[in-house]
């Protein structure tokens, strides 16, 4: 790391701390030449491998943009979207791999999005899973119902009218 003041390549670490909930390390350094101090932040780079084989760094902002379009017209605030993106990144980093297929990113989005907003989940899933018929939607809705029953949320909802 070159000193930002004098461009000397030699510095020593004065202090190290975790940052970004353990996803990065913040280091205070002191230049061996001019003596000035500066801060560096080190993060492990996580790459997403597209279907075409192109690799690009993982971006929480890109996750937020994709999910925001699925949430258009829904009552979902930005804080919830940023929390979802953080959850997705933590899930992907937990695999321990420095490169993940874009398909895994989409799968990591589906779970938290289902819990956040079911309509947005269906919208996102219809594009991500390439729904081609009403049956695809029916299958996804059935999955939502089974998940809701498994989580126990069905007790808090109004009962269905008797037929």
């Amino acid at each position: 790391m070159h000193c930002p003041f004098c461009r000397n390549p030699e510095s020593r670490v004065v202090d190290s701390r975790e940052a970004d909930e353990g996803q990065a390390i913040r280091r205070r350094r002191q230049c061996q030449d001019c003596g000035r101090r500066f801060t560096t932040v080190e993060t492990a780079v996580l790459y997403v491998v597209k279907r075409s084989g192109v690799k690009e760094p993982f971006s929480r902002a890109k996750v937020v943009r994709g999910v925001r379009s699925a949430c258009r017209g829904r009552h979902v605030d930005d804080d919830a979207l940023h929390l979802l993106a953080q959850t997705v990144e933590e899930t992907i980093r937990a695999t321990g791999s420095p490169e993940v297929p874009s398909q895994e990113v989409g799968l990591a989005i589906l779970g938290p999005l289902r819990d956040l907003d079911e309509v947005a989940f269906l919208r996102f899933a219809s594009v991500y899973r390439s729904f081609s018929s009403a049956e695809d939607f029916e299958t996804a809705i059935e999955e939502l119902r089974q998940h809701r029953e498994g989580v126990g949320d069905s007790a808090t909802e109004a009962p269905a009218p008797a037929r």
Side-chain angles (χ1 to χ4, degrees):
M1 180 76 212
H2 291 273
C3 173
F5 307 107
C6 71
R7 305 296 301 155
N8 181 39
E10 300 297 322
S11 64
R12 70 180 185 91
V13 175
V14 178
D15 183 42
S16 292
R17 296 180 188 203
E18 281 188 7
D20 196 20
E21 297 181 8
Q23 298 299 317
I25 296 177
R26 179 185 167 274
R27 298 194 194 279
R28 286 292 291 161
R29 297 179 177 271
Q30 184 171 12
C31 177
Q32 299 288 50
D33 192 33
C34 71
R36 294 179 76 178
R37 290 186 176 195
F38 57 97
T39 302
T40 60
V41 178
E42 299 174 17
T43 59
V45 179
L46 177 62
Y47 285 99
V48 176
V49 181
K50 303 286 193 171
R51 288 185 184 142
S52 65
V54 173
K55 297 176 187 175
E56 64 180 45
F58 176 84
S59 167
R60 284 187 189 180
K62 195 167 181 180
V63 170
V64 169
R65 277 194 310 272
V67 173
R68 183 175 282 135
S69 65
C71 293
R72 191 168 289 127
R74 306 291 300 159
H75 297 290
V76 177
D77 65 1
D78 279 348
D79 288 342
L81 294 179
H82 290 285
L83 184 60
L84 182 140
Q86 179 181 340
T87 302
V88 168
E89 182 175 4
E90 289 170 356
T91 300
I92 291 170
R93 284 192 184 275
T95 66
S97 177
E99 297 179 357
V100 293
S102 58
Q103 206 170 345
E104 285 187 34
V105 176
L107 289 173
I109 290 171
L110 287 173
L113 184 56
R114 178 185 53 221
D115 295 336
L116 180 64
D117 187 275
E118 291 179 345
V119 172
F121 166 80
L122 286 172
R123 290 175 177 169
F124 188 88
S126 70
V127 173
Y128 177 72
R129 293 180 179 167
S130 303
F131 287 5
S132 59
S133 67
E135 287 80 22
D136 293 336
F137 280 96
E138 289 172 354
T139 301
I141 289 169
E142 185 56 37
E143 288 174 14
L144 277 172
R145 287 186 179 130
Q146 289 175 359
H147 174 75
R148 191 184 306 149
E149 290 170 4
V151 172
D153 290 342
S154 59
T156 61
E157 294 184 7
R163 293 186 185 186

